[in-house]
């Protein structure tokens, strides 16, 4: 059974950077799409980015384009989200999830979720 564990969250000042990790166990990531989502208090879960672990194709939400980068290390069974130029509105719990080959940025397309990691952007 595939299990996902996020790490790397924390408190950072506006303009700063964080790198989130999504480590998988139980199954190899080779045939999945891994997505990053976030949920702020009182708001719906929002798709941030996704990557195909097979061909490396990526998708980004407009709100993070040019600031966030998703990449994979299949040898380590890990997907990373590099977040630069962070803004207070990026504050949320960030989740990674695994979906099938056609999964985009809709949460309903994903079937396995991590427990989340808190990212707080504040001065």
């Amino acid at each position: 059974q595939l299990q996902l564990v996020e790490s790397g969250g924390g408190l950072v000042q506006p303009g700063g950077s964080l790198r989130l990790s999504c480590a998988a166990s139980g199954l190899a990531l080779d045939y999945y799409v891994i997505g990053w989502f976030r949920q702020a208090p009182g708001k719906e879960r929002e798709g941030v980015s996704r990557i195909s672990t097979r061909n490396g194709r990526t998708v980004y939400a407009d709100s993070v384009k040019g600031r966030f980068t998703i990449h994979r290390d299949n040898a380590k069974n890990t997907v990373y989200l590099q977040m630069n130029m962070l803004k207070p509105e990026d504050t949320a719990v960030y989740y990674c999830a695994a979906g099938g080959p056609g999964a985009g940025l809709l949460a309903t397309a994903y079937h396995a979720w991590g427990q989340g990691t808190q990212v707080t952007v504040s001065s």
Side-chain angles (χ1 to χ4, degrees):
Q1 183 177 354
L2 180 65
Q3 292 185 320
L4 304 172
V5 178
E6 304 94 336
S7 61
L11 173 64
V12 64
Q13 292 186 341
S17 297
L18 282 175
R19 188 180 78 162
L20 304 183
S21 299
C22 174
S25 63
L27 288 173
L29 288 180
D30 299 35
Y31 299 98
Y32 291 95
V33 163
I34 299 298
W36 282 99
F37 295 80
R38 65 187 181 186
Q39 190 165 19
K43 294 188 177 181
E44 293 186 355
R45 191 166 294 190
E46 172 192 17
V48 173
S49 182
R50 57 81 89 182
I51 186 167
S52 166
T53 54
R54 172 172 283 188
N55 58 31
R57 290 180 182 170
T58 59
V59 175
Y60 295 93
D62 288 344
S63 58
V64 305
K65 280 181 183 176
R67 301 189 297 123
F68 291 12
T69 303
I70 189 170
H71 60 101
R72 75 204 194 280
D73 185 335
N74 285 359
K76 294 184 178 180
N77 234 25
T78 300
V79 171
Y80 303 94
L81 185 68
Q82 178 67 44
M83 306 187 296
N84 298 327
M85 296 182 285
L86 283 161
K87 304 175 182 180
E89 51 263 44
D90 294 317
T91 296
V93 177
Y94 282 71
Y95 301 87
C96 67
L105 292 181
L106 292 178
T108 52
Y110 292 78
H111 57 270
W113 291 82
Q115 83 290 347
T117 185
Q118 176 71 46
V119 171
T120 303
V121 185
S122 175
S123 55

